[in-house]
Each structure stands twice: as C-alpha cells, then as structure tokens.
Amino acid sequence: MSKLFAPISLGDLTLANRIIIAPMCQYSSDHGKATSWHHAHLGQLSFSGAGLLILEATAVEAIGGITPQDLGLWDDETEAAMKKLVMSIRDNSRIPLGLQLGHAGRKASCQVPWEGGKQLTLEQGGWQTIAPSAAPFAQTDTAPQAMTLERIAQLKKAYVDSAKRADRLGFDLLELHGAHGYLLHQFLSPLANQRTDQYGGSLQNRMRLLLEIFQELRAVFPAKKPIGVRISATDWVEGGWDLEQSVTLSKALDKLGCDYIHISSGGLSPQQEINVGPNYQVPFAERIKQEVEMPVIAVGLITEPEQAEAIISTGQADMIALARGILYNPRWPWHAAAKLGAKISAPKQYWRSEPHNVKGLFLAE
C-alpha cells in the first residue's frame, strides 16, 4: 500500500493523503480582493485529489502584499470577495482548504514578476515598506521603515483580525508564513534584524514575534482547526538564519501546540547561493522531523511519484508539498495514484477519463 496515499491527521483535521498543494502567489487580485482568476485557478486545483489545498500568501494588511495585486484579507471588502471564492470551491469540491497568512515587509511594493518584479516607487503606485530594521532587501530598494513597538502591536492585531475572518469564511486550516524573506522571516534572520530591543539580538528575541503571533492566532482560531507554520530552514548565506536555528524554532513551536511545520528555504537575501536539484530541501525537513513531534512537510523539486513515495516511506517527512509542479500538471495526484497503485477522489463528471489500463482509480468525492 502506498504511504503517500495513506491518510494523516493534523490536529482534528484528517487528510485523505499526504499530498499538499503549497501556497502559490497569483498576483491577480483587485486591491486584495479575489477575482475570477482565483475562481478558475483554484477551481481546477480543487479537483486534483490532493489531501489539502492551501491558498496563496494572503496579506493581513494593505501594505503587506508583495505586489499591489496580492490577495488580501484585511477588511470587509476583501472578506466578501474571499467568501464568494470559498463558496465557489465548496460547491464543487470537498478538498480541505487552508489559508496562508503573511506580510511581505521590506519585500513589499513590487511589480508583478512578469513585469520584472522590481520595487515600485511611490510615483509608480508603490508604498513605504516596513521591516524589523531600516535595511533594504536590495541595494537599489528604498529603505524600509523600522517598526516601533506600537507598530508591532498593530501588526499582531492585523494577524488576529485576519484569522477571525478566515474562521468565519470556513477555512479548515491556517498557515503562518515565516519563510522566503518576508516580514516574519526578516525578524528571524540576523541579516535583516538589527534591533537592540526585545525583538532583536539573541535567537530567542528574534523568534519572539513569530511565536507571539502563533499564540495569538491559536487563541482566536478554533482549537479543532489546525495551525501550521512555514519556515525557510536556511538563508543560504553565511551568518544568516540556518538549520540549527530552525531546529530551535521548530522545537519552540512544537511545545506551543503547532500542528505541522512546512520546510522551505531561502528568499531573505540576494546573496543566497543555492544548489538546486531534486529533493534539495528534503534534508532540512528530515533533520527537523527528528527533533519534533508534529508532522513535517517537505517541498522543493519533488516531481516524480516514486520520489514522493520514497520521502514518505523512508520517514524523511510526513507529507510532501507541490507548487510549480502542480501548476504545470494540475492532475499530478491522479497520475501519482495510477503509478503507485492507489485510489484517489475525483469528481464524477471526470470518472470516464480513467485510463483503460488503470481500473478502479477514482473514488467518489
């Protein structure tokens, strides 16, 4: 029996298999509001048979988007648009839905990737960014505004408010975005965090904000619904955030009742040097899995069903996440089930697509 297609529980939420659709920014919102693109994009992914679909990084305040077109959940208008989206997905699929809450910090106010991705000036429709310290991501960027303690308190409230909205909308799970060089990762890394107060300096101080926000989300999001955290295991830069610090953070989250940890890497510095190849981030997940009780998600150039099966069956991680790979092939879980001799849920409208040489592949949704 395939281990990849065995069920797993995150808190009280049981997933049908270990395939997770990772958050993938679409840069297609209308001032934070979900659009018809999100309905089409997420609709097709909801038919994939994956165990969990996590929506893209969703900004908790208007200046928190990577671009002006980032998805958001910070007011009644963005909530109303998100409600239509969730209802549309629920009308046609029973896939569990998660929402990743994030804030881009100093990496905000940028063009969409297909227009170059450079930071926008105020004249181009950009805005003043914020960060733990007034250190820009790139030398050509405008320096971010260092956050005061009052501003940190406002940020925490924004996360809490968005979590309450996510619960009202019926999301099954929350993921706190602490990876890829965005605001919470900026607080974690000594390369971006040069503060001298309780949020800077020592590892415990640099971890403080992420841990505080996790606890505040846990206090307002129903106990029966899981909350996980995505982190970058390393900055891939000497003197930056690294695997040993990630282990310490993961242990702290484990003690606080975190339901899973999602292990990626990089994104904090233009100086990063990454040797990219199949499974290149899996060793980070494997190390952290040895140190914590909560389930661990591995990600990063996992493209083949046998590759994913091996990661789970050898105990390197509890789940695998697909991002670019499932954009390229939205039916990846179907093909994996066929190759590994497993069964997978699919809409009845698609049952007749079952290949002649693979009988009994589909389960009713």
Side-chain angles (χ1 to χ4, degrees), residues 125-206:
W127 57 89
Q128 174 63 57
T129 62
I130 60 172
S133 305
F137 172 71
Q139 290 184 346
T140 55
D141 291 349
T142 300
Q145 186 175 68
M147 297 174 70
T148 64
L149 293 179
E150 181 182 13
R151 188 65 180 87
I152 289 173
Q154 292 171 356
L155 176 74
K156 290 194 283 187
K157 183 179 185 302
Y159 272 96
V160 167
D161 290 345
S162 292
K164 290 177 179 177
R165 292 181 188 277
D167 179 41
R168 283 201 296 267
L169 290 167
F171 281 98
D172 302 298
L173 169 150
L174 283 184
E175 181 169 282
L176 184 59
H177 198 354
H180 300 159
Y182 300 121
L183 185 55
L184 296 184
H185 185 182
Q186 291 160 30
F187 271 86
L188 293 173
S189 175
L191 298 178
N193 185 343
Q194 298 156 12
R195 300 176 73 92
T196 57
D197 63 3
Q198 65 264 44
Y199 290 102
S202 70
L203 174 57
Q204 294 301 319
N205 281 357
R206 286 182 279 115

Side-chain angles (χ1 to χ4, degrees), residues 34 36 39 87 145 158 207 268 285 344 361:
S36 61
H39 288 249
M87 290 175 64
Q145 186 175 68
M207 296 192 314
L268 189 282
I344 193 163
L361 174 64

Side-chain angles (χ1 to χ4, degrees), residues 18-160:
R18 313 297 182 96
I19 303 168
I20 311 302
I21 299 179
M24 294 172 284
C25 290
Q26 296 297 293
Y27 311 108
S28 298
S29 82
D30 174 17
H31 297 91
K33 300 186 290 294
T35 65
S36 61
W37 174 261
H38 295 96
H39 288 249
H41 164 65
L42 294 166
Q44 67 169 334
L45 292 180
S46 75
F47 299 150
S48 67
L52 173 67
L53 170 56
I54 307 178
L55 273 64
E56 67 193 80
T58 299
V60 298
E61 57 181 19
I63 69 162
I66 305 164
T67 74
Q69 291 79 29
D70 275 35
L71 197 61
L73 187 58
W74 62 70
D75 62 10
D76 291 345
E77 286 191 9
T78 51
E79 182 178 347
M82 186 78 80
K83 182 176 182 179
K84 291 179 182 177
L85 174 61
V86 171
M87 290 175 64
S88 174
I89 298 170
R90 298 284 196 209
D91 280 346
N92 298 294
S93 173
R94 292 189 295 179
I95 193 169
L97 294 178
L99 185 69
Q100 187 187 69
L101 295 181
H103 194 297
R106 70 180 189 177
K107 290 181 74 175
S109 186
C110 292
Q111 299 169 321
V112 295
W114 50 87
E115 292 179 2
K118 299 291 186 183
Q119 190 177 71
L120 295 165
T121 65
L122 297 179
E123 293 74 24
Q124 293 171 317
W127 57 89
Q128 174 63 57
T129 62
I130 60 172
S133 305
F137 172 71
Q139 290 184 346
T140 55
D141 291 349
T142 300
Q145 186 175 68
M147 297 174 70
T148 64
L149 293 179
E150 181 182 13
R151 188 65 180 87
I152 289 173
Q154 292 171 356
L155 176 74
K156 290 194 283 187
K157 183 179 185 302
Y159 272 96
V160 167

Side-chain angles (χ1 to χ4, degrees), residues 271-286:
Q271 279 73 53
Q272 66 185 21
E273 295 183 6
I274 307 177
N275 295 317
V276 176
N279 283 15
Y280 75 104
Q281 294 176 144
V282 173
F284 302 138
E286 182 177 17

